[in-house]
Amino acid sequence: MKAILGKLRPSKRLVVILAAAFGVSAASGAAAVYVGRDALMEQMSKPATSGLECTLVRTVKLGHHGQRWVRMHIKTDRADGEARMRTALRVVGALSKSEKADLYQVVVLDAAGPEERAAVRGAAIGAQVLFAPGPQSVPGMDERFRASYNDGTANSAGFFHGNTVDLSVADIGGMMAGMDDRSPCIDPNAIAVEGEAAPDVAAAEHKAESAEAPAGH
């Protein structure tokens, strides 16, 4: 065996060729790993088409001049504006399938934000959606949807201080068309409230502070 191994000593030229070949192979493998990692990171950085996991804070059910209006407050954990918006649209869709109403409102809060109804206003709101299946019967609703989100990041107290982005009907339709998940939020201890004052939808337009009116303040 030793004699055979002794006869298999490669020449210097072969050693150089093999070293070069292994070097190219290793470099190609490293490049493939790097490209694969970049592609994975890019995929991870894209917002989920159906939004994020969320937690239900409360559901408020209102009677207003013979109509039924349902409002829901939910929370997400450190989500960007678009992800919050997608989450709100997914949840309002799920809500409309489980509850019969003339007007639905979903308000997205940060996980660190306030939970009291009186505090769900202004900078505490990360995104919100108003949906009226028959908008002609709801005062202040010219379209079936109104949706907006704050493009800022929540601070440690759960407040947003960015700009309010209002979505067009086309933007809303595009987001909802690509959703592959229609699940509602996790409901650890929902609070159902009956008989709260109805929201003033017309006063809700174009400002994050608008939620103060829908929240009944």
Side-chain angles (χ1 to χ4, degrees):
M1 179 64 74
K2 290 182 179 180
I4 295 174
L5 292 175
K7 293 180 181 180
L8 293 179
R9 294 175 183 173
S11 66
K12 291 183 178 180
R13 182 181 178 186
L14 180 58
V15 170
V16 172
I17 293 173
L18 290 174
F22 281 121
V24 171
S25 176
S28 300
V33 171
Y34 186 79
V35 171
R37 184 187 66 182
D38 278 359
L40 178 61
M41 293 299 292
E42 181 181 357
Q43 186 64 31
M44 291 176 64
S45 66
K46 293 180 180 178
T49 57
S50 302
L52 305 172
E53 184 178 276
C54 54
T55 302
L56 176 62
V57 176
R58 69 173 54 83
T59 301
V60 182
K61 302 176 182 181
L62 314 170
H64 180 70
H65 299 303
Q67 293 185 336
R68 189 166 189 266
W69 293 3
V70 179
R71 179 186 305 117
M72 182 175 283
H73 296 161
I74 67 175
K75 283 193 168 189
T76 57
D77 189 14
R78 293 298 173 185
D80 62 31
E82 185 175 334
R84 292 192 301 270
M85 188 75 268
R86 290 177 181 274
T87 304
L89 289 171
R90 184 193 82 230
V91 172
V92 82
L95 179 60
S96 67
K97 292 183 181 300
S98 64
E99 295 275 357
K100 181 69 174 177
D102 299 283
L103 178 67
Y104 304 87
Q105 180 187 25
V106 172
V107 178
V108 183
L109 313 170
D110 184 72
E115 294 188 359
E116 300 80 8
R117 283 206 307 276
V120 180
R121 54 188 292 181
I125 297 175
Q128 65 174 324
V129 174
L130 291 168
F131 170 53
Q136 67 281 353
S137 66
V138 179
M141 288 293 288
D142 300 322
E143 301 282 353
R144 297 179 71 194
F145 282 94
R146 282 191 187 176
S148 63
Y149 67 87
N150 190 298
D151 65 1
T153 301
N155 60 21
S156 59
F159 290 97
F160 303 90
H161 296 288
N163 297 315
T164 299
V165 178
D166 296 307
L167 271 66
S168 68
V169 175
D171 292 334
I172 295 168
M175 283 188 175
M176 297 193 77
M179 291 185 179
D180 53 7
D181 176 20
R182 305 287 178 174
S183 61
C185 294
I186 297 170
D187 184 2
N189 53 354
I191 304 171
V193 180
E194 297 282 355
E196 185 187 354
D200 180 359
V201 178
E205 193 170 8
H206 298 310
K207 294 183 180 179
E209 291 86 347
S210 60
E212 179 178 0
H217 307 292

